[in-house]
Amino acid sequence: MTGLAELFQSQLVQTVLIGAALLGVVSGVLGSFAVLRRQSLMGDTLSHAALPGVCLGFLLAGGRDLGSILAGAFLTGALAALAVVLITRTTRLKTDAALGIALSVFFALGVVLLTLVQARGGAGQMGLSTFLFGQAAAILRSDLWVMAGVTAAALALVAAFWKEFKLVSFDPDFARVQGLPVLVLEIALTVMVAMAIVVGLQMVGVVLMVAMLIAPAAAARQWVRSLGAMVLLSAAFGAFSGMAGALISAQARGLATGPVVVLVASALVLLSLLLAPGRGLIWQALRARHDAQRLRGERVLLTLHGLGAAHGDPAYPSEAGMIDAFHGVTSRRALARLQARGLVRAVRHPPEETPHWELTDSGRDAARAALRRTGGDVEGRAR
Amino acid sequence: MPQGAGTDGLHEPQFALHVEDLTVSYHTNPVLWDIDLDIPPGVLAAVVGPNGAGKSTLIKAALGLVRPVAGHVRYFGQGYAAARRRIGYVPQRSSVDWDFPTDALDVVTMGLYGKLGWFRRPGRAARARALAALADVGMQDYAARQISQLSGGQQQRVFIARALVQDADIYFLDEPLAGVDATTERTIMALLRRLRDAGKTVIVVHHDLSTVRRYFDWLVMLNVRIIAQGPVSEVYTAENLRRTYGGQVALIEDLPPAPGAEGPTAEGGQDGPR
Ligand SMILES: Nc1ncnc2c1ncn2[C@@H]1O[C@H](COP(=O)(O)OP(=O)(O)OP(=O)(O)O)[C@@H](O)[C@H]1O
Ligand SMILES: [Mg+2]
């Protein structure tokens, strides 16, 4: 415990945690829009395309100067985005193919440049390879100002143009018909994503940065009913995975931060996919089972009712085997559930020894109600 | 685009929609070819034609969503930008992601974003108008429902409500009756008739030829070119149907009575149907 307390007091750890939280918030917020606009692949391309820019910035500045590195990253990212637009405009290739091409070409270029830089040796090269998979510990206190600035700017823009961004994400054609400058708004969203990627590069790395955009948003989508809630929850998920990942990787020497952050975020996605009320798989499975049980019970009820009607005796005690035969499967559990709800009761019907069941008064009411609901289709009820 | 003609000067103001020489092509294939179209105000008009005839493209070009290679469009004599506030739009239902995290009321409120202007959030008045529009389409009980949990016909009605709050003078609807049940179809058509009776111009892409004569009073037949346009009673002829649909016309039951004087009523913007 004292270890943990000390850990939090260390300047380095504080810096890392604040940086991770800022990155998580900004990528969680912007990632929500990217995911809803189906722009995830664009995020991936932008982040991979940042690598050659990182190397160029390093080469030109002659060392690890964050300003020039980020400027370089932003520049090559923008070039990649431009390449995608040009490819889709001038050829018949679809957007996903164009994105894939831009991603691989720019990333390949980045890897070649990275090798060149490392071959030249020098103290600075260490800092550079962390841009591949991220190293939270490499963050400096002064870097926090850049991250905080980008985060604040992005949040302010999203708040100011909230309804416009929402409409552009949901229905861009309708936005244009209403006179909104859709192209400008879309470019603004993409540029903000690029900014978030650039500030996240050091911490998470170009290879996995896109997961910081997608995973928190995808997890958040499972739980919410409005865009506002999605953006808030996604920011919280992003901050949590960023901080948890940074802490864990700071504990284990040499463990890159990016993969740990991504694993934490993916765990959140998995949990959300399984558990979220309404949309989660487990929740849906439970509901489906519940529905199936209710339906089965209703059919057994109707069978008893129908047999009673056929014998001119609403309380006619039906033999359990007969009900089973009618349904083709054993109805013992369905009958037990109906009994628990007080709709049927077990009776003896001498001289026969086998179990018999009859409807209670409330069972008869329930059966009639069900009949009315299904349109009084007495004969076609069970198959 | 005929520039000038006076930026204020109205061009063909007697028509709610005036389209001249409009040509649209995707890549190099022309999808709409030399369209001349005039729709007078106050009609309920159907645009019909086979799949791929360019019906959706015609609407999108009129709304400035696709750029034509030639031609111009006027609303009540004004250019698109000037008339924007007078135009309502119901896109094809499949054009958006219905899994977007929002509810019916919020979607309808989106119809007011353009009028609200920058930096202003929809307030109580906007909410009330959106609720009233939902009630107009019989969806008031679904205001808080997630849009992903609406049926196809309900989604369609939400879209129509969103156009209603735009409070436009001319409405474009792209296949509003596609995939809706008979009851919803009656609700929607009654609503569109009410709009028409209130003096609005309603232009509907329609795919069910058997109801054209019952539902509409103006008809545009389209197959890359304009085949015919005018009041339904004059334009809905076997000859025009054949020219629009080719051989498939045999499938249509509600063929008009054998036209005595056919004269394939083309290109006639007979004014004032009513
Ligand atoms: N974005 C696009 N890029 C290329 N071609 C397109 C595009 N949109 C439509 N087309 C083509 O333009 C033609 C007209 O399409 P449009 O959607 O306007 O037809 P439509 O009359 O609305 O058809 P439908 O009855 O199927 O809705 C079609 O041949 C279609 O393939
Ligand atoms: Mg269409």
Side-chain angles (χ1 to χ4, degrees):
Chain A
M1 272 294 68
T2 52
L4 206 58
E6 270 168 38
L7 194 66
F8 276 104
Q9 264 151 32
S10 117
Q11 275 265 323
L12 175 68
V13 173
Q14 279 177 7
T15 306
V16 166
L17 282 181
I18 295 173
L22 286 172
L23 175 63
V25 167
V26 71
S27 51
V29 169
L30 297 175
S32 298
F33 290 98
V35 164
L36 289 174
R37 293 173 59 230
R38 304 177 186 281
Q39 288 278 303
S40 316
L41 210 52
M42 180 56 121
D44 206 16
T45 302
L46 287 177
S47 59
H48 278 79
L51 187 61
V54 168
C55 299
L56 283 178
F58 181 88
L59 282 173
L60 290 182
R64 185 192 172 285
D65 168 52
L66 193 67
S68 47
I69 284 179
L70 295 191
F74 195 78
L75 187 78
T76 49
L79 279 180
L82 194 67
V84 170
V85 172
L86 284 180
I87 292 174
T88 45
R89 283 269 167 91
T90 57
T91 72
R92 296 214 157 198
L93 287 177
K94 297 275 180 292
T95 311
D96 58 340
L99 285 166
I101 292 170
L103 182 152
S104 27
V105 169
F106 277 79
F107 187 60
L109 198 65
V111 172
V112 169
L113 281 174
L114 188 65
T115 320
L116 277 180
V117 173
Q118 291 192 321
R120 285 181 14 157
Q125 76 191 41
M126 292 292 296
L128 203 52
S129 57
T130 62
F131 279 92
L132 265 185
F133 289 107
Q135 189 52 266
I139 293 198
L140 307 174
R141 215 138 237 236
S142 55
D143 298 348
L144 287 186
W145 289 107
V146 179
M147 302 182 81
V150 169
T151 307
L155 294 186
L157 277 178
V158 167
F161 300 108
W162 176 258
K163 71 178 192 303
E164 286 80 12
F165 283 141
K166 176 161 81 176
L167 184 51
V168 162
S169 305
F170 175 61
D171 191 347
D173 274 357
F174 192 73
R176 205 168 309 163
V177 169
Q178 294 216 38
L180 296 186
V182 172
L183 190 65
V184 175
L185 291 165
E186 285 181 336
I187 289 176
L189 281 173
T190 308
V191 168
M192 284 196 286
V193 166
M195 301 282 289
I197 286 171
V198 164
V199 301
L201 286 184
Q202 276 199 96
M203 186 162 278
V204 183
V206 297
V207 178
L208 294 172
M209 181 57 212
V210 69
M212 268 313 266
L213 288 168
I214 302 174
R221 173 64 191 100
Q222 293 298 108
W223 302 89
V224 301
R225 297 170 55 84
S226 73
L227 181 62
M230 175 165 170
V231 164
L232 288 179
L233 190 60
S234 173
F237 281 165
F240 174 78
S241 20
M243 291 163 74
L247 266 188
I248 295 171
S249 82
Q251 297 285 51
R253 295 224 149 267
L255 182 56
T257 312
V260 186
V261 169
V262 170
L263 286 179
V264 174
S266 307
L268 287 175
V269 172
L270 190 66
L271 285 177
S272 304
L273 285 176
L274 289 177
L275 297 180
R279 300 169 63 93
L281 293 179
I282 291 183
W283 201 92
Q284 284 184 352
L286 284 177
R287 193 178 52 182
R289 212 184 77 155
H290 179 81
D291 287 351
Q293 284 181 353
R294 234 203 41 224
L295 205 65
R296 168 75 65 78
E298 197 163 87
R299 284 184 170 181
V300 170
L301 214 57
L302 288 178
T303 307
L304 285 170
H305 185 77
L307 287 170
H311 288 80
D313 170 15
Y316 173 78
S318 309
E319 194 167 347
M322 201 164 164
I323 304 170
D324 286 357
F326 213 96
H327 288 272
V329 289
T330 170
S331 44
R332 194 163 41 85
R333 283 201 291 178
L335 282 165
R337 279 192 300 270
L338 290 173
Q339 188 180 25
R341 286 165 62 197
L343 299 180
V344 300
R345 62 172 158 259
V347 290
R348 301 198 49 84
H349 190 56
E352 288 155 34
E353 294 295 311
T354 50
H356 282 62
W357 296 88
E358 68 178 24
L359 290 174
T360 64
D361 286 346
S362 48
R364 268 195 296 283
D365 291 344
R368 283 198 204 100
L371 267 183
R372 271 196 301 278
R373 216 170 34 247
T374 54
D377 177 17
V378 190
E379 294 314 314
R381 74 230 138 183
R383 238 164 310 132
Chain B
M1 294 266 154
Q3 76 288 54
T7 26
D8 285 309
L10 299 179
H11 172 66
E12 304 280 0
Q14 71 273 33
F15 295 117
L17 175 68
H18 165 75
V19 177
E20 202 171 312
D21 298 338
L22 184 80
T23 298
V24 176
S25 62
Y26 290 116
H27 302 295
T28 49
N29 324 330
V31 171
L32 291 176
W33 184 255
D34 199 16
I35 302 288
D36 290 326
L37 180 65
D38 290 307
I39 295 187
V43 297
L44 179 47
V47 178
V48 301
N51 290 129
K55 306 180 293 290
S56 300
T57 305
L58 176 62
I59 288 190
K60 286 187 178 166
L63 293 170
L65 297 175
V66 301
R67 188 176 305 162
V69 292
H72 64 260
V73 177
R74 288 292 179 277
Y75 297 90
F76 306 100
Q78 295 175 301
Y80 174 71
R84 176 173 281 142
R85 290 285 144 77
R86 305 177 69 180
I87 304 169
Y89 177 39
V90 180
Q92 246 168 327
R93 180 156 47 88
S94 56
S95 64
V96 304
D97 172 17
W98 288 96
D99 198 36
F100 199 88
T102 185
D103 56 35
L105 183 65
D106 193 39
V107 170
V108 176
T109 313
M110 289 176 189
L112 294 165
Y113 284 7
K115 290 205 173 92
L116 270 173
W118 300 100
F119 306 116
R120 290 187 47 213
R121 298 283 170 92
R124 191 168 305 161
R127 213 183 122 80
R129 280 184 66 182
L131 274 172
L134 272 175
D136 279 342
V137 297
M139 288 284 293
Q140 60 278 20
D141 296 339
Y142 296 87
R145 181 75 74 90
Q146 284 285 291
I147 58 170
S148 57
Q149 289 166 12
L150 297 171
S151 72
Q154 291 166 342
Q155 291 173 346
Q156 191 70 62
R157 283 189 276 167
V158 168
F159 259 11
I160 293 177
R162 183 178 70 169
L164 287 181
V165 299
Q166 290 186 279
D167 194 20
D169 292 322
I170 178 167
Y171 283 97
F172 291 91
L173 299 89
D174 200 344
E175 307 220 10
L177 304 181
V180 309
D181 63 22
T183 319
T184 306
E185 181 163 325
R186 273 197 299 278
T187 314
I188 292 176
M189 284 317 300
L191 184 77
L192 297 185
R193 268 193 293 273
R194 281 213 304 281
L195 286 175
R196 189 242 353 243
D197 294 343
K200 320 270 188 187
T201 310
V202 183
I203 300 170
V204 181
V205 172
H206 190 61
H207 60 277
D208 180 6
L209 286 173
S210 67
T211 51
V212 165
R213 290 199 297 172
R214 193 141 39 93
Y215 287 165
F216 297 97
D217 49 29
W218 198 267
L219 180 60
V220 176
M221 300 173 98
L222 180 74
N223 192 347
V224 183
R225 302 155 185 269
I226 295 284
I227 306 295
Q229 57 178 318
V232 172
S233 53
E234 293 173 23
V235 171
Y236 192 81
T237 64
E239 167 64 16
N240 283 340
L241 284 168
R242 195 154 36 244
R243 294 209 299 141
T244 311
Y245 287 87
Q248 308 161 27
V249 78
L251 302 172
I252 304 151
E253 331 119 37
D254 184 36
L255 272 178
E262 58 267 60
T265 330
E267 276 87 19
Q270 290 92 337
D271 317 20
R274 38 193 23 268

